Amino acid sequence: MVFCLRRRDGLPGLSISIAFTLVWTGLIVVLPLTALVLRPWQDGGAVMLRVLHDGRMYAALRVSFSCAALAALIDVPLGLLLAWALVRARLPGRRAVDALIDLPFALPTAVTGITLATLYGPTGWIGALLARAGIRVAYTPAGIVVALMFVGLPFIVRAVEPVLRGLPPELEEAGLLLGASPWQNFRRVILPPLLPPLVAGFSLAFARCIGEYGSVIFIAGNQPFHSEIAPLLIVVRLQEYDYEGATAIALILLLSALMCMTGVAALRRRVSRGLVARGAA
């Protein structure tokens, strides 16, 4: 007689937990996204055609995507330097800096926006100094970039930090013993393993910055065709009781963000495969 023993899962009630998780995820993620995709088409394609001919929407999307991309790109070297300081440098107050990096995750976005508008305003501590040099930050697209940099920086740091901490110091020592300069050692030994987390951190920061609202509206100025972001335009359409237009803009913003995330994910896989092929060679 052959007895078939069922392998027991390490987590009790695993099947029930997975079923509950899938149902809950469907209710809070899949169902709202499905409703967002279907809502603009309920009244026919005329609504979408009207939205696609809205120049104000294209201007808002341009501001949102360009400022988000610029902020995420600036955060990449800054996040790498901060992660390097936290992992490799023994600076005084390192633990306080480590805690402050996560502050944008916990701080209400409205508080962030008001604080940045106060600092970079024409009479603010930093804005007054910049105004003397003829530089205006608040109520311009530059202010949007500053706010999005503050929001997106933790994603870069937290993506790079564990990978940098896990790099064996023997690799750097071997490069130096072989005669590589510090810059060559960084570029050929340290930087390649950090490229995938840098790309991942960039994609997360970019995706967060696209939909950021609270920390931007107080410093942006919200001028149509100049400093108006797409999430704010959705709120404007809702205040005008134009629900079809608001959901259509939200759908376009969602699809654009998904396309950008898919492209960044493909780039990250390509970089990872290139590193593996280089290591095998």
Side-chain angles (χ1 to χ4, degrees), residues 150-168:
F150 177 82
V151 172
L153 183 60
F155 293 96
I156 308 293
V157 177
R158 296 313 181 196
V160 175
E161 183 181 0
V163 179
L164 185 61
R165 197 182 300 275
L167 287 179

Side-chain angles (χ1 to χ4, degrees), residues 26-52:
L27 291 176
I28 65 175
V29 177
V30 179
L31 185 60
L33 292 180
T34 304
L36 177 61
V37 172
L38 298 179
R39 180 63 180 85
W41 306 99
Q42 289 183 356
D43 298 328
V47 175
M48 290 297 297
L49 292 177
R50 176 174 60 83
V51 173
L52 292 176

Side-chain angles (χ1 to χ4, degrees), residues 56-222:
R56 185 177 178 181
M57 180 202 67
Y58 287 112
L61 289 175
R62 176 182 56 81
V63 172
S64 293
F65 279 90
S66 60
C67 291
L70 181 59
L73 285 174
I74 297 176
D75 278 340
V76 168
L78 295 179
L80 178 59
L81 290 176
L82 276 176
W84 186 278
L86 292 175
V87 175
R88 299 298 177 88
R90 299 300 176 183
L91 300 177
R94 181 171 57 90
R95 292 185 178 179
V97 175
D98 189 23
L100 288 175
I101 290 176
D102 294 329
L103 186 61
F105 293 147
L107 194 66
T109 56
V111 176
T112 301
I114 294 174
T115 304
L116 292 176
T118 303
L119 289 175
Y120 289 93
T123 59
W125 292 351
I126 302 177
L129 297 176
L130 295 176
R132 296 177 183 176
I135 301 175
R136 184 183 176 188
V137 175
Y139 316 125
T140 64
I144 300 177
V145 174
V146 171
L148 296 182
M149 286 174 56
F150 177 82
V151 172
L153 183 60
F155 293 96
I156 308 293
V157 177
R158 296 313 181 196
V160 175
E161 183 181 0
V163 179
L164 185 61
R165 197 182 300 275
L167 287 179
E170 292 80 6
L171 294 178
E172 304 175 40
E173 296 174 0
L176 294 175
L177 290 176
L178 291 175
S181 63
W183 170 247
Q184 290 176 335
N185 199 34
F186 173 78
R187 183 169 59 88
R188 297 185 178 182
V189 178
I190 301 176
L191 186 59
L194 297 180
L195 285 179
L198 283 174
V199 175
F202 171 83
S203 62
L204 292 174
F206 179 69
R208 169 65 187 275
C209 291
I210 289 176
E212 184 61 25
Y213 175 77
S215 61
V216 175
I217 58 174
F218 294 99
I219 196 175
N222 307 322

